[in-house]
Amino acid sequence: MNNSNRTIISRRARPAKQPLSQDLIVQTALELLKSEGSPGLSMRKIAKALDTGPSSLYVYVANLQELSAFVLDNALAKVDFPEEDQGSWKSRLFDVLQSYLSVLYEAPGVAELSLTTIPAGPHSLAMMEYILRQLHEGGIRSTSAAWGVDLLLLYVSSVAFEQSSRDRKGTTLHAISASYRSLDPSQYPLISGLKEELLSSGGQEDKEGQQGYEGEARFRWGLEAILQGIVTRNNG
Amino acid sequence: MNNSNRTIISRRARPAKQPLSQDLIVQTALELLKSEGSPGLSMRKIAKALDTGPSSLYVYVANLQELSAFVLDNALAKVDFPEEDQGSWKSRLFDVLQSYLSVLYEAPGVAELSLTTIPAGPHSLAMMEYILRQLHEGGIRSTSAAWGVDLLLLYVSSVAFEQSSRDRKGTTLHAISASYRSLDPSQYPLISGLKEELLSSGGQEDKEGQQGYEGEARFRWGLEAILQGIVTRNNG
DNA sequence: ACCTGAACACCGTTCAAGT
DNA sequence: ACCTGAACACCGTTCAAGT
């Protein structure tokens, strides 16, 4: 620093520079991820936001990968678990997964994290346990249940990620839409004939609600399909 | 360069420095991706492999994202389509998806690409068309078919990615295994009870074949479950 | 038209040095 | 024990300049 012989003008807007801690780092990282997307999740940017150098973070966090895992689990704290004495197990199951989806939608980067980092934090475990409990109540046990949770969570993460990676760049949606429309129908008759259906990939087609009507319908369709399959495999 | 007054000793091992082209760039990129994983897919490394500077690549490719899309489609050229006059539509469907999975397994980075980049290249379109044709033959049409392909491809990509991101770091599997084993059974009774099933995530438990027996079984289970669901939704 | 060098604005991680 | 500065070895992309 070159302000050694200069009285400090103002100790920043920050509240007197809180001491660092893992929690503070993780929270700052999550804020950056939400405001700037996945490029916001960088050691250097987090350090800058905390008014320090990147090397300081390594006291509380092994590396970026570990930090990412913490950030994901922190975000998952917001997932809502419906009370277990109301409604059917199936409606509760759909509701958690819907809530999980909303949390992932909140920030484009979080969806990517959910696919990229292995979920072993307490919040993710709590969600798995809750889902397993609903499946159990629905008579789905053992292998079917274990593989089923994975499949369901994978589905939700993928939907969220696909969606958020489209939002990232308006170009991409235009690009794919254009490429479908310019297809040679004689070479790709089925794709050509299903253009519209293929493109309604769960996106927010309207500007209003959290998620378009089409998107919500498609999300539930996929969920029902997977669950249907799990149930059938379980009983068959 | 500082060898201006020095006769060139040897024009590298490369065959007399081929002129650049999009195809050469894409192929080199794919080779690097296979040999070094996703960090290998960098403009600078590709340029170095081609014995030029990174800026030279921008004549043939808009940016890294576009190049990635080309690389993915190039890799998908290897997907095998079973002859359509043999076996059932279902066995053909499973076989393409199995072949798709093998291609993604070939390189850890390719699996990641398949999740991250929107597939609009000719090889990916050909695969979609083929799958739609099998579904059509199985009586699955319209929305069910359109959303079904997406779901099936998503599943395969995710399985491949999950697997390859585990291979990347032996630590991660150990870490998750450890975290499951150290769980408080009273807090997470169902997860604790299903430890084994949850951990058999389609991985190669044996050192021999391309894929472990457990892994193959789990992969097919997921496929059957999804397909079952699609069929039921389609008819119901 | 194609290629190059140099620069710009970034990365993650380490490490000796300070308090 | 915690924090810092400086360095190392990387990124993608642009742009003026050369052929």
Side-chain angles (χ1 to χ4, degrees):
Chain A
M1 302 257 175
N2 52 1
N3 56 353
S4 40
N5 58 353
R6 184 77 185 78
T7 34
I8 295 142
I9 302 170
S10 140
R11 206 65 197 99
R12 314 286 126 62
R14 239 176 300 285
K17 195 171 187 185
Q18 291 174 257
L20 283 180
S21 71
Q22 195 183 85
D23 211 66
L24 184 62
I25 291 170
V26 171
Q27 252 153 48
T28 308
L30 183 54
E31 276 164 34
L32 276 166
L33 184 64
K34 285 184 181 172
S35 61
E36 298 183 24
S38 45
L41 196 61
S42 101
M43 294 304 238
R44 294 186 112 102
K45 280 179 185 161
I46 296 160
K48 191 170 280 176
L50 289 167
D51 200 16
T52 181
S55 47
S56 305
L57 306 179
Y58 288 86
V59 179
Y60 303 95
V61 124
N63 50 41
L64 181 63
Q65 194 184 301
E66 191 192 272
L67 176 57
S68 302
F70 287 140
V71 169
L72 174 62
D73 204 70
N74 210 260
L76 292 187
K78 283 224 195 148
V79 175
D80 257 357
F81 302 143
E83 298 287 337
E84 303 196 50
D85 53 5
Q86 279 172 23
S88 66
W89 65 273
K90 213 175 133 180
S91 77
R92 284 194 296 274
L93 180 63
F94 279 32
D95 285 353
V96 224
L97 293 173
Q98 184 74 253
S99 169
Y100 178 48
L101 183 71
S102 320
V103 167
L104 296 186
Y105 268 163
E106 230 176 89
V110 178
E112 191 168 351
L113 272 188
S114 77
L115 271 179
T116 320
T117 83
I118 290 145
H123 292 112
S124 120
L125 288 173
M127 182 170 68
M128 282 183 66
E129 182 75 18
Y130 183 93
I131 293 171
L132 282 171
R133 206 152 56 234
Q134 310 319 311
L135 291 177
H136 188 92
E137 203 171 305
I140 300 155
R141 317 269 156 103
S142 181
T143 326
S144 301
W147 296 358
V149 219
D150 250 39
L151 196 50
L152 288 166
L153 292 177
L154 196 69
Y155 173 67
V156 181
S157 298
S158 306
V159 167
F161 175 69
E162 206 166 292
Q163 191 50 35
S164 69
S165 62
R166 257 156 234 225
D167 292 349
R168 248 188 332 213
K169 266 256 162 194
T171 20
T172 35
L173 191 131
H174 273 131
I176 196 175
S177 164
S179 97
Y180 279 169
R181 267 179 248 286
S182 68
L183 279 183
D184 177 7
S186 69
Q187 204 182 348
Y188 304 109
L190 292 166
I191 295 180
S192 297
L194 290 170
K195 270 197 279 275
E196 306 305 326
E197 289 86 347
L198 285 165
L199 283 171
S200 74
S201 351
Q204 38 249 62
E205 262 93 336
D206 56 55
K207 316 98 197 127
E208 300 294 336
Q210 291 282 58
Q211 207 193 343
Y213 186 74
E214 262 274 30
E216 172 118 20
R218 182 164 180 166
F219 177 65
R220 290 193 71 91
W221 182 90
L223 237 42
E224 301 258 20
I226 292 170
L227 192 59
Q228 191 85 252
I230 296 171
V231 171
T232 313
R233 302 261 95 215
N234 182 58
N235 301 329
Chain B
M1 301 259 174
N2 53 1
N3 57 352
S4 39
N5 57 353
R6 183 81 184 76
T7 33
I8 296 141
I9 303 168
S10 139
R11 207 64 197 101
R12 312 288 123 63
R14 237 176 300 287
K17 196 173 186 183
Q18 291 174 256
L20 284 180
S21 70
Q22 195 184 85
D23 211 67
L24 183 61
I25 291 170
V26 170
Q27 250 152 51
T28 309
L30 183 54
E31 275 164 35
L32 276 167
L33 184 64
K34 284 186 182 171
S35 61
E36 298 184 25
S38 45
L41 195 60
S42 100
M43 294 303 239
R44 292 186 112 103
K45 279 179 186 161
I46 297 160
K48 191 169 280 176
L50 289 166
D51 199 16
T52 181
S55 46
S56 305
L57 307 179
Y58 288 86
V59 179
Y60 302 95
V61 124
N63 49 41
L64 182 62
Q65 194 184 303
E66 191 191 272
L67 176 57
S68 301
F70 287 139
V71 169
L72 174 62
D73 204 69
N74 211 259
L76 293 187
K78 285 225 195 145
V79 175
D80 257 358
F81 302 143
E83 298 287 337
E84 302 194 51
D85 54 5
Q86 279 173 24
S88 65
W89 65 272
K90 211 174 135 180
S91 77
R92 284 195 296 273
L93 180 63
F94 279 32
D95 285 354
V96 223
L97 293 172
Q98 185 74 251
S99 169
Y100 178 46
L101 183 71
S102 321
V103 167
L104 296 185
Y105 269 163
E106 228 176 272
V110 178
E112 190 167 352
L113 271 188
S114 76
L115 271 179
T116 320
T117 83
I118 291 147
H123 293 112
S124 120
L125 288 173
M127 182 170 67
M128 283 183 66
E129 183 75 17
Y130 184 91
I131 293 172
L132 282 171
R133 204 152 56 233
Q134 310 319 310
L135 292 176
H136 188 91
E137 202 170 308
I140 300 156
R141 317 267 156 104
S142 181
T143 326
S144 301
W147 296 358
V149 219
D150 250 40
L151 196 50
L152 288 165
L153 292 177
L154 199 66
Y155 173 67
V156 181
S157 298
S158 305
V159 167
F161 176 70
E162 207 166 291
Q163 191 50 36
S164 70
S165 63
R166 257 154 234 226
D167 292 349
R168 245 187 335 210
K169 266 258 162 195
T171 19
T172 37
L173 192 130
H174 273 131
I176 197 174
S177 165
S179 98
Y180 279 169
R181 266 178 250 285
S182 68
L183 278 184
D184 177 6
S186 68
Q187 204 182 349
Y188 305 109
L190 293 166
I191 295 180
S192 298
L194 290 170
K195 270 197 278 276
E196 305 306 326
E197 288 86 346
L198 284 166
L199 283 171
S200 73
S201 352
Q204 39 248 65
E205 261 93 337
D206 57 54
K207 317 99 196 123
E208 299 295 337
Q210 292 281 57
Q211 205 193 344
Y213 186 73
E214 263 274 29
E216 172 118 20
R218 182 162 180 170
F219 177 65
R220 290 192 70 91
W221 182 91
L223 237 42
E224 301 257 21
I226 292 170
L227 193 59
Q228 191 85 252
I230 297 171
V231 171
T232 313
R233 304 262 94 214
N234 182 58
N235 300 328

